[in-house]
Amino acid sequence: QVQLVESGGGLVQPGESLRLSCRASTNIFSFGRLGWFRQEPGKERELIAYIISNGLTNYADSVKGRFSISRDGAKNTMYLQMSSLKPEDTAVYYCNTQPPIGHLWGQGTQVTVSS
């Protein structure tokens, strides 16, 4: 069964950077569109960035200019490079296809931005 596994979260201070990874159990390019989502406590899960098989990317306004999404076919891994982190970026981050497929949701990785 195809799986996506997130990693790389942690506790950082405001203004710092972090890189998240999403490793696929199959060819990462077999997914036409892959995205990063996040969920803050008490809120709905939201799409913050996605990448299309041709390399085109799209970002939510809240992360545009600070986050960068990419894929490495050799490692079957998608990344989310996060810079200039803010306390409001604190959330559990997930990867999935866009639109998401239910059984591909993983455990996510916690990102906490706090001084």
Side-chain angles (χ1 to χ4, degrees):
Q1 187 173 354
V2 175
Q3 288 185 311
L4 297 172
V5 180
E6 306 92 347
S7 63
L11 171 63
V12 296
Q13 295 189 346
E16 293 187 339
S17 299
L18 204 58
R19 188 179 77 162
L20 306 184
S21 299
C22 169
R23 173 144 187 157
S25 60
T26 188
N27 183 350
I28 195 80
F29 289 102
S30 66
F31 303 99
R33 187 177 298 194
L34 272 175
W36 281 100
F37 302 74
R38 68 185 182 188
Q39 187 169 23
E40 301 170 55
K43 295 188 177 181
E44 294 288 318
R45 196 171 303 183
E46 62 171 341
L47 173 69
I48 58 170
Y50 65 83
I51 184 166
I52 304 175
S53 55
N54 62 7
L56 288 178
T57 59
N58 187 274
Y59 300 91
D61 288 343
S62 58
V63 305
K64 196 174 295 182
R66 299 188 299 122
F67 291 11
S68 178
I69 189 172
S70 62
R71 285 188 299 195
D72 184 337
K75 297 181 179 179
N76 287 330
T77 300
M78 177 176 68
Y79 301 100
L80 185 69
Q81 178 67 48
M82 305 185 294
S83 303
S84 302
L85 282 162
K86 305 174 181 180
E88 50 263 43
D89 294 316
T90 295
V92 180
Y93 286 70
Y94 303 87
C95 58
N96 204 321
T97 56
Q98 172 54 21
I101 296 174
H103 73 262
L104 288 181
W105 289 118
Q107 297 299 309
T109 187
Q110 174 72 47
V111 173
T112 303
V113 185
S114 175
S115 55

